[in-house]
Amino acid sequence: MLTNIFDAHAHYDDARFDADRDSVLRSLPQKGVCGIVNNSVDLENAERILALAEQYNHMYAAVGCHPENLENLPGDYLERIASLTQHPKVIAVGETGLDYHWDVPHDLQKRVFEEQLKLSLDLKMPLIVHDREAHEDVYHLLRQYRPHALIHCFSGSVEFMHETVAMGMYISLGGVVTFKNARKSVEVASEIPLERLLLETDAPYMAPVPFRGKRCDSSMIVFVAEKIAELRNMTVQEVLDLTAENAERFYRI
Ligand code: NI
C-alpha cells in the first residue's frame, strides 16, 4: 500500500462534503494519507476549519481570506486572522492571493493580499498563495517582500517556476498535471527542483484523471504522484515520500 500522502492544500469545509465529511476524513489515513492542510477562505469558515483541525490528528489549518471572498470583509479582519493563528493547529496564513478571473476589484484584492502577506512575515509563518490569471501582480508583491510562500495550484510558466524557486519559495501541483491539455503544468512538473515540490488536491475541486469533474479527496493525490513519477523516472512511493518531506519542511510541522 502507498503511504506518506501529504495534501498540501484542501477545502474540506466545502458543502460538497456536508453529507459524509466525517466518514471521508476518517477513511483517509487508512488510504495512506499522513497530512492535510485545510484552508479557510474567509473569517466565517475559519472557525469551522479550526474545529475540523481539532477533530482530526492528521489535519492542519491555514487561516486567511481568499480573493474571491472579499465582500463584507470586516474592518478588523487582519487582527482576527492574527488571533486565529495562535491556535496550535494553525500552521500558515492562507489562502490569499489574487484572482483576476473573477470580477472583484483589483485594488481591493491587492490591498488584502499585501496585508496578509505582511502579516505572515510579522508572524514568521508560511503563506499560501492563490494566483489565477494574475501572475504579474502576484510576483510584483512576492519580489518586493520575499515571504516564506507556497504557490498553490501553480499555473505559471517554467520561467515563473524558476523565479519562484530562486526566491526560496515552494510550488504545489494537483490534478491539473493529469489533464490532457496540461502542457505548462507538465513542463513545470518535469523541471522543478524536486526539493521544492508539494502535492495538493484543492479538494473538492480539481480531481485528477480518471476522476476529473468528480468530487476530489486527498487519496486521489496518488494519480498526481503517478504522473510525476512517470515524468521524473521515480517510483510513486518515492514521489510521495519526497513531497511529504517537503511539505513538513515548508510548513515546519
Ligand atoms: Ni484553494
Side-chain angles (χ1 to χ4, degrees):
M1 192 190 99
L2 294 164
T3 58
N4 259 348
I5 298 170
F6 194 109
D7 187 350
H9 184 100
H11 297 277
Y12 280 101
D13 179 57
D14 191 276
R16 278 195 262 176
F17 290 107
D18 281 355
D20 60 352
R21 181 175 293 105
D22 185 57
S23 62
V24 171
L25 288 173
R26 272 172 198 276
S27 73
L28 293 175
Q30 293 147 35
K31 296 176 179 169
V33 175
C34 65
I36 298 168
V37 178
N38 202 24
N39 284 242
S40 78
V41 293
D42 57 30
L43 282 162
E44 195 249 326
N45 94 327
E47 300 286 347
R48 296 197 298 273
I49 294 288
L50 292 192
L52 283 172
E54 284 170 5
Q55 207 179 335
Y56 302 97
N57 257 341
H58 56 287
M59 181 172 269
Y60 301 90
V63 289
C65 291
H66 189 287
E68 272 176 60
N69 298 54
L70 302 182
E71 243 177 89
N72 311 318
L73 187 76
D76 63 347
Y77 86 96
L78 205 61
E79 290 85 344
R80 288 170 62 186
I81 292 174
S83 107
L84 291 169
T85 63
Q86 299 307 302
H87 188 287
K89 295 281 304 266
V90 173
I91 57 171
V93 173
E95 73 175 283
T96 178
L98 301 176
D99 192 324
Y100 292 172
H101 185 76
W102 301 109
D103 198 18
V104 179
H106 293 188
D107 282 353
L108 174 64
Q109 291 194 43
K110 282 193 256 189
R111 172 174 70 81
V112 176
F113 176 36
E114 185 171 7
E115 286 171 350
Q116 292 178 82
L117 192 164
K118 285 158 83 173
L119 180 69
S120 80
L121 291 171
D122 290 345
L123 297 171
K124 300 187 167 44
M125 284 187 101
L127 179 74
I128 301 171
V129 177
H130 173 101
D131 168 16
R132 187 176 185 196
E133 299 171 21
H135 305 314
E136 290 300 341
D137 285 352
V138 166
Y139 277 78
H140 180 76
L141 287 167
L142 296 180
R143 285 176 202 126
Q144 188 180 347
Y145 291 102
R146 306 283 179 124
H148 179 65
L150 170 70
I151 319 302
H152 105 87
C153 245
F154 185 81
S155 59
S157 61
V158 168
E159 289 71 32
F160 273 117
M161 177 276 285
H162 283 303
E163 183 179 0
T164 309
V165 166
M167 289 192 289
M169 299 168 194
Y170 289 67
I171 278 169
S172 66
L173 294 174
V176 175
V177 288
T178 68
F179 296 177
K180 263 213 164 71
N181 54 355
R183 188 185 53 82
K184 261 200 307 190
S185 283
V186 166
E187 277 174 27
V188 168
S190 305
E191 289 197 31
I192 184 169
L194 287 168
E195 72 280 5
R196 295 303 178 79
L197 175 64
L198 276 60
L199 302 183
E200 68 165 272
T201 53
D202 209 14
Y205 312 105
M206 296 290 183
V209 173
F211 299 105
R212 187 170 182 179
K214 303 240 165 62
R215 186 185 76 175
C216 186
D217 72 55
S218 304
S219 67
M220 294 181 191
I221 277 189
V222 167
F223 297 95
V224 178
E226 267 176 15
K227 176 72 186 187
I228 291 170
E230 181 193 308
L231 294 169
R232 303 304 291 254
N233 201 15
M234 296 165 71
T235 68
V236 177
Q237 188 60 62
E238 281 169 346
V239 171
L240 293 173
D241 291 344
L242 182 90
T243 51
E245 192 185 311
N246 293 344
E248 285 167 5
R249 184 183 337 106
F250 170 73
Y251 284 120
R252 301 171 180 142
I253 292 172

